[in-house]
Amino acid sequence: MEALEKAHIESPYHNDRDTYTHTGIDLTSDTGNYNVRAVARGKIIEVQNRMEDMFIVNENSSVDLWAGNYVIIEHGNGYTSRYNHLEYNSIKCNVGDIVEEGFEFAREGQSGYADGVHLDFEIKCNGEFIDPTYYAIGQASLPPYKEYTSDVKYLNLNPEADTWRIYPIGVQPVVGNEIAMIYPN
């Protein structure tokens, strides 16, 4: 799923710590102020919507000011996607919301350190920036987000054992009704 429909890349990903680092890619729609879409299913973990478009900040500002209005979505297996420079008051999601792939949650804007209306799109994997280009244009997919239940019971397994048997919660252990077996390394 494309992050921004009918867009072209204004500034590519470039992560060279010795010279210039651009941890995302800048996308601009051909018509301007286009809707920003979630590239994959995920959970909204951070939203900032406090900066009017064209509010003057400089390149040395804190990350929060530099990015302007933004949304961060958590995906599976340590992946997050971040959408920066969103139009002020266009964000239609809240922290904790689960959004589906393709959900339009904001509009590209010019908040933060931005010299024109665009979307700065970033992806991290386990806290490290990766090239988001193929994810932004819909040619690569992020892992599917899965909600985890709080109805989980933990137990300490005997480290001396060779194997352990796992039973569903509320089911009495009977040899033969295992749902899985765990083998130690």
Side-chain angles (χ1 to χ4, degrees):
M1 176 60 60
E2 296 174 335
L4 190 63
E5 190 178 17
K6 297 180 183 175
H8 61 276
I9 298 172
E10 286 266 316
S11 180
Y13 174 80
H14 184 75
N15 197 356
D16 183 348
R17 296 180 199 275
D18 295 330
T19 58
Y20 169 71
T21 298
H22 186 212
T23 56
I25 60 171
D26 291 344
L27 298 167
T28 304
S29 72
D30 294 334
T31 57
N33 282 358
Y34 232 172
N35 292 328
V36 175
R37 304 184 298 191
V39 296
R41 184 173 198 271
K43 181 178 183 178
I44 306 297
I45 59 171
E46 196 170 335
V47 173
Q48 176 171 279
N49 185 32
R50 63 184 172 118
M51 192 177 297
E52 293 187 27
D53 282 353
M54 298 176 61
F55 178 81
I56 305 300
V57 298
N58 63 49
E59 62 188 71
N60 297 319
S61 295
S62 72
V63 172
D64 285 349
L65 287 178
W66 176 90
N69 304 316
Y70 62 85
V71 170
I72 301 176
I73 302 176
E74 177 183 68
H75 307 284
N77 298 334
Y79 285 89
T80 59
S81 57
R82 181 172 172 142
Y83 308 77
N84 301 309
H85 307 307
L86 302 176
E87 182 180 276
Y88 181 62
N89 279 339
S90 73
I91 299 172
K92 302 180 287 190
C93 58
N94 297 300
V95 171
D97 290 353
I98 304 294
V99 295
E100 297 298 327
E101 179 179 337
F103 176 70
E104 294 178 351
F105 60 86
R107 294 171 69 82
E108 66 176 318
Q110 192 174 346
S111 61
Y113 184 63
D115 58 5
V117 174
H118 72 285
L119 169 68
D120 180 58
F121 178 71
E122 300 171 328
I123 291 188
K124 284 185 178 180
C125 180
N126 297 319
E128 297 291 324
F129 288 104
I130 63 170
D131 186 346
T133 304
Y134 293 108
Y135 301 99
I137 61 176
Q139 292 183 352
S141 299
L142 291 169
Y145 177 78
K146 295 179 183 166
E147 292 180 71
Y148 295 97
T149 177
S150 61
D151 185 23
V152 175
K153 295 182 181 176
Y154 297 93
L155 63 128
N156 291 322
L157 300 173
N158 179 353
E160 304 295 321
D162 292 329
T163 62
W164 300 271
R165 294 184 187 278
I166 300 173
Y167 301 93
I169 294 173
V171 173
Q172 290 299 318
V174 176
V175 174
N177 74 347
E178 304 87 359
I179 59 169
M181 292 183 73
I182 299 176
Y183 295 93
N185 290 336

